[in-house]
Each structure stands twice: as C-alpha cells, then as structure tokens.
Amino acid sequence: EAQVTQNPRYLITVTGKKLTVTCSQNMNHEYMSWYRQDPGLGLRQIYYSMNVEVTDKGDVPEGYKVSRKEKRNFPLILESPSPNQTSLYFCASTFPGSTEAFFGQGTRLTVV
Amino acid sequence: AQKVTQAQTEISVVEKEDVTLDCVYETRDTTYYLFWYKQPPSGELVFLIRRNSFDEQNEISGRYSWNFQKSTSSFNFTITASQVVDSAVYFCALSEAPTQGGSEKLVFGKGTKLTVNP
C-alpha cells in the first residue's frame, strides 16, 4: 500500500530538548516536504527536498532542520524546540509532474 | 505571489442542507493546479480533488461537486444533502505547474470548518 509514515503521532517535550520527527514514503517519490498547521493559518511549508541531498527552505524554516540522505526518508529536526513550535506537522511526498501530494497522518507536537 | 483565500471561517448547517465552500485564488501562472482536502476531527488530510488550469469542466462525485471559474479565479466546492460525517475542516490549495528545478509547494487557504448538525 502506498503511504507516507510519520512518527511519532503525538509528542510532548520540553523547551530546548532536541527532537526528530521521522517521515518515510514507499512510493519512490523524489519530492518531499514538511508543513505545519496552525489554527487560523492553514498549512505552511517548512522545508522541501527535490531529491537526495537536495533540500531548500519553504515559507517558515526558522528553528527547523531537515536532511535527505535516502530517497525514502525525510526527517524533520528541531535542535532546540520552543513553545511557538507547538503545532500539527505533516510530511508529504509527490511524484514529479503529478502535483498530487500524499500526506502522512500528522504529528501533533507540544513544546512546554 | 500565490494566494488562496477561503473567506468562510466556519459554517454550520443542518443535515440534508446543501452547502457551498468558497475558494478564491491568486496566481500569475497560466498553468497551475487546484485542490481540495478534507481534514476530519481525527486530523489526517484526505485528498478530494485536483483540477488543472486548462480544465474548467465542473466535476461531480456523488454528493460532492466543484465549480471552477477562471474568470473569477474561484474553485468552489458544494456538498449536496449534507451529512453529519461531512463535518470537517476543508482546505483549498494551489500549486504551480512543476518546472525543472521548481518547487511543487502547495499553497493552502486557511480552511473552512464545516459543522453539520443532525
């Protein structure tokens, strides 16, 4: 079954404690991205990756890092989380030219 | 810059009523794609439809229908005979056509929360 898998689904952490949200897709898609969803703001792109070792900033990249060492994985790293990063995060992957994004189930992060 | 506006923040209807969710977009591109996603209370994003800018034909899928009008830059979504299970947040989104080296970013509206009461 084609899918994008995020882990964990829920996470509560403390300010400053580094964390990683994993994202994996089994569709051999080249394009992957991370979005955050906040009330009243919709979804906004954090980072994206066109292929292995090719990443770039989206609209709201501050406070986040990503890596793309393998085609299937695109982890989101918060080196020093802060309460304003409390949000619902989605990973997405897209086959080039299709424009249809496949979304993971979301990760609800709370930073206290 | 691309922009998607969903002016209706929340809508509440009674079951079996028809309801239309509005979406207005802005883009300088001549080729682009429009989407609707549903987000039920469980939180996942459910893909509903994709439309490219060259296809203005309206689409119907069961109780769902979409009206795409380039002249008014709108891509409205109508649910006929609404049901309680339609209660969700609905997002309209816009994407540029993929070009070599270009981003395939989705630009989302802020969403419309639909509540269907029994």
Side-chain angles (χ1 to χ4, degrees):
Chain A
E1 179 190 355
Q3 59 185 6
V4 178
T5 304
Q6 291 178 232
N7 279 297
R9 292 289 310 281
Y10 302 92
L11 179 60
I12 300 175
T13 190
V14 296
T15 298
K17 185 177 181 180
K18 181 180 178 180
L19 67 92
T20 299
V21 183
T22 63
C23 174
S24 182
Q25 50 96 0
N26 63 359
M27 296 167 279
N28 203 36
H29 287 170
E30 293 177 356
Y31 184 89
M32 297 183 73
S33 56
W34 278 101
Y35 293 83
R36 62 177 287 175
Q37 181 184 353
D38 301 293
L41 296 177
L43 283 84
R44 295 173 293 168
Q45 192 184 55
I46 303 170
Y47 267 94
Y48 66 93
S49 170
M50 301 292 287
N51 213 325
V52 175
E53 303 292 0
V54 181
T55 63
D56 206 348
K57 297 176 181 179
D59 296 321
V60 288
E62 294 77 21
Y64 304 95
K65 286 175 56 176
V66 293
S67 69
R68 188 89 182 273
K69 293 184 171 57
E70 306 165 281
K71 201 171 190 178
R72 63 183 293 123
N73 295 323
F74 190 44
L76 179 69
I77 303 157
L78 285 73
E79 294 271 3
S80 182
S82 62
N84 65 13
Q85 293 177 298
T86 292
S87 188
L88 177 59
Y89 291 86
F90 287 97
C91 179
S93 74
T94 311
F95 186 80
S98 80
T99 73
E100 179 183 337
F102 293 78
F103 284 90
Q105 290 186 295
T107 295
R108 193 168 292 278
L109 171 66
T110 301
V111 184
V112 298
Chain B
Q2 297 180 318
K3 185 179 179 182
V4 175
T5 301
Q6 294 180 254
Q8 304 150 308
T9 305
E10 295 192 38
I11 300 175
S12 182
V13 299
V14 177
E15 209 168 16
K16 297 185 183 176
E17 281 186 32
D18 299 346
V19 57
T20 295
L21 309 182
D22 297 333
C23 173
V24 174
Y25 62 92
E26 296 175 28
T27 181
R28 294 178 183 175
D29 296 321
T30 56
T31 304
Y32 51 89
Y33 293 84
L34 295 162
F35 302 79
W36 276 95
Y37 285 88
K38 174 183 179 180
Q39 185 177 46
S42 50
E44 73 272 22
L45 286 167
V46 179
F47 168 81
L48 295 178
I49 189 172
R50 178 185 67 181
R51 237 340 169 226
N52 74 54
S53 53
F54 297 110
D55 183 1
E56 287 193 74
Q57 191 171 8
N58 291 332
E59 180 149 345
I60 298 174
S61 176
R63 296 183 297 107
Y64 294 170
S65 62
W66 291 268
N67 181 270
F68 176 29
Q69 292 196 338
K70 285 180 77 171
S71 61
T72 56
S73 297
S74 64
F75 187 45
N76 297 336
F77 172 32
T78 297
I79 302 175
T80 303
S82 60
Q83 300 176 0
V84 173
V85 293
D86 295 326
S87 296
V89 179
Y90 291 86
F91 290 99
C92 182
L94 168 69
S95 173
E96 296 174 329
T99 56
Q100 187 172 4
S103 163
E104 298 187 25
K105 178 177 73 174
L106 284 167
V107 175
F108 285 84
K110 295 181 180 181
T112 297
K113 182 178 181 181
L114 173 65
T115 302
V116 181
N117 299 297

